[in-house]
Amino acid sequence: MSWDKVCIDLTTCRHDAPGRVITYREALREALHTALTEDPTVFIFGEGVDDPAGVFGTTTGLQKEFGKKRVFDTPICENTLTGVALGAALAGMRPVLVHMRTDFLLVSMDQLVNHVAKVRYMFGGSVTAPLVVRSIIGGGWGSAAQHSQALQALFAHVPGLKVVMPSSAYDAKGLLLASIADNAPVIFIEHRWLYDHKENVPAEAYLIPLGKALVRRAGSDITL
């Protein structure tokens, strides 16, 4: 993805850089807004993306601004929708599919494990599947057994899938933009208890490289 305005220099867009204090949910929405603005191949679909709650506030107002062809609700049919995302990615689009509950990604396992994760290997790298599947973990009152599972370790064992779990508002924006820009399929998992977490987040766009650890504090004996 070539976005002229995206900052990828982490010396200028660093974690402790001054910025506005916004929430984790606002950072995610800002990343999606940037992606939709800068790349016409990006679209967002899934359960609840166009309703007033807007997936915990992360997609609020995006359909009104970008239209129903780029931001739209879907039926609850996880496996089929994952196949639609793969087909769109193979056709040159960069879909962002929202699965509200990680539990129900299990319904999509055939598509995710046997197709999405494997397609670039099966065709010798001649095709890519640049898609992002957003999902949410974190139980709450009354969520019950089928709505409370944290399955990130399961997906991390699938060759061909990248798993991203931002732990702060700053990371949420930079990692979501990097996930959308990546040519590999990404499972992007958010924790619902983090949506109100606040942090300094630069107004400009920036990418945080996937798979590169953030050094909180360097030391001679231990580095965090």
Side-chain angles (χ1 to χ4, degrees):
M1 189 176 297
S2 58
W3 296 338
D4 293 337
K5 297 179 182 178
V6 171
C7 173
I8 57 174
D9 181 359
L10 296 186
T11 62
T12 58
C13 282
R14 62 189 189 280
H15 194 277
D16 59 350
R20 313 140 305 144
V21 176
I22 63 174
T23 64
Y24 186 102
R25 76 178 78 238
E26 290 169 330
L28 289 169
R29 186 192 180 282
E30 202 164 82
L32 293 172
H33 187 279
T34 296
L36 289 164
T37 300
E38 299 295 335
D39 191 336
T41 69
V42 174
F43 68 98
I44 304 168
F45 70 120
E47 181 187 356
V49 299
D50 64 345
D51 66 28
V55 190
F56 297 96
T58 63
T59 62
T60 305
L62 293 179
Q63 186 186 81
K64 183 176 181 180
E65 183 169 353
F66 294 97
K68 294 183 178 180
K69 290 185 177 181
R70 298 190 66 197
V71 182
F72 53 92
D73 192 21
T74 63
I76 301 175
C77 191
E78 290 87 352
N79 199 49
T80 298
L81 295 174
T82 306
V84 169
L86 175 59
L90 293 175
M93 305 297 285
R94 290 185 180 269
V96 178
L97 172 59
V98 178
H99 278 275
M100 289 284 280
R101 302 278 187 173
T102 304
D103 311 68
F104 299 110
L105 281 176
L106 297 178
V107 183
S108 301
M109 288 300 278
D110 177 47
Q111 289 288 353
L112 287 171
V113 176
N114 290 323
H115 302 285
V116 170
K118 305 296 190 293
V119 67
R120 61 174 173 164
Y121 303 108
M122 294 170 65
F123 291 92
S126 62
V127 297
T128 57
L131 64 91
V132 175
V133 178
R134 283 184 57 201
S135 199
I136 302 164
I137 63 171
W141 63 269
S143 291
Q146 293 181 345
H147 295 75
S148 304
Q149 300 175 85
L151 301 173
Q152 58 271 15
L154 188 155
F155 294 106
H157 284 281
V158 178
L161 292 181
K162 295 184 179 182
V163 178
V164 174
M165 294 184 66
S167 60
S168 68
Y170 179 93
D171 290 345
K173 180 177 178 178
L175 287 173
L176 183 51
L177 283 171
S179 297
I180 296 171
D182 202 290
N183 285 325
V186 177
I187 307 294
F188 192 92
I189 300 176
E190 306 150 22
H191 198 296
R192 69 178 61 222
W193 289 5
L194 292 175
Y195 282 125
D196 290 322
H197 168 81
K198 295 182 179 180
E199 191 174 27
N200 287 335
V201 178
E204 65 268 28
Y206 57 94
L207 304 181
I208 297 177
L210 303 186
K212 182 177 181 180
L214 172 67
V215 177
R216 298 288 183 178
R217 183 173 179 180
S220 57
D221 298 309
I222 295 175
T223 295
L224 300 178

